Amino acid sequence: MTVERTLSIIKPDATHRNLTGKINAFFEDADLRIIAQKRLLLTRQQAEAFYAVHAERSFYGELCNYMTSGPVVVQVLQGEDAIARNRQIMGATNPANADEGTIRKEVGVNVQENSVHGSDSPENAAKEIAFFFSETEIVG
């Protein structure tokens, strides 16, 4: 197994409901370490840049509106096979289809307000981490 880093975002619906600690317990219980973390309010420009890969999709504007609607917690998780493990811990995008015991099943509201984001590949993890953090902010 390979030690990896991945980006995790706790989305506005979850921060609004004060679920940051509960969500982080899922990661820590699965031996993923939080090696960088900050709470921020994304600007429209940041949201549009971060989700630019979806710019041509019909939900892009709504997604950017949602991600700027309240604070988010961006963090870097590290551990063995962190990318795949994080995605397993998060569960399916639609909470209704997520497995029992996953974050989205336990606290997600709907497809958009599904409480968390996680990188889907090593390449995207590197880009997404660099979007929010400098190397000096990552202490693992």
Side-chain angles (χ1 to χ4, degrees):
M1 291 194 184
T2 305
V3 173
E4 296 176 324
R5 291 177 175 176
T6 189
L7 184 80
S8 168
I9 301 176
I10 300 176
K11 296 180 177 181
D13 69 278
T15 61
H16 175 74
R17 293 180 288 144
N18 202 29
L19 297 173
T20 301
K22 182 174 185 170
I23 290 170
N24 282 339
F26 279 88
F27 303 134
E28 292 175 335
D29 290 347
D31 293 325
L32 291 176
R33 293 179 37 131
I34 300 167
I35 60 169
Q37 181 182 70
K38 55 185 155 184
R39 184 180 189 94
L40 51 92
L41 187 59
L42 291 176
T43 66
R44 182 66 184 208
Q45 184 179 7
Q46 286 172 314
E48 288 175 354
F50 186 79
Y51 289 105
V53 67
H54 299 302
E56 301 301 318
R57 299 185 123 160
S58 61
F59 60 83
Y60 176 70
E62 188 176 329
L63 174 61
C64 291
N65 289 341
Y66 164 63
M67 291 301 291
T68 59
S69 68
V72 297
V73 175
V74 294
Q75 50 196 13
V76 179
L77 307 177
Q78 180 174 285
E80 291 185 6
D81 295 321
I83 296 164
R85 289 178 59 215
N86 180 41
R87 295 188 68 73
Q88 182 180 18
I89 293 163
M90 289 190 307
T93 302
N94 184 343
N97 299 332
D99 290 339
E100 292 296 328
T102 62
I103 295 169
R104 289 176 172 154
K105 186 64 160 189
E106 297 297 318
V107 302
V109 177
N110 56 45
V111 173
Q112 179 171 284
E113 296 178 351
N114 60 17
S115 301
V116 287
H117 163 88
S119 304
D120 63 1
S121 69
E123 297 78 23
N124 283 339
K127 286 181 207 171
E128 291 179 352
I129 290 168
F131 187 90
F132 289 107
F133 296 94
S134 69
E135 278 300 316
T136 61
E137 295 176 298
I138 302 170
V139 256

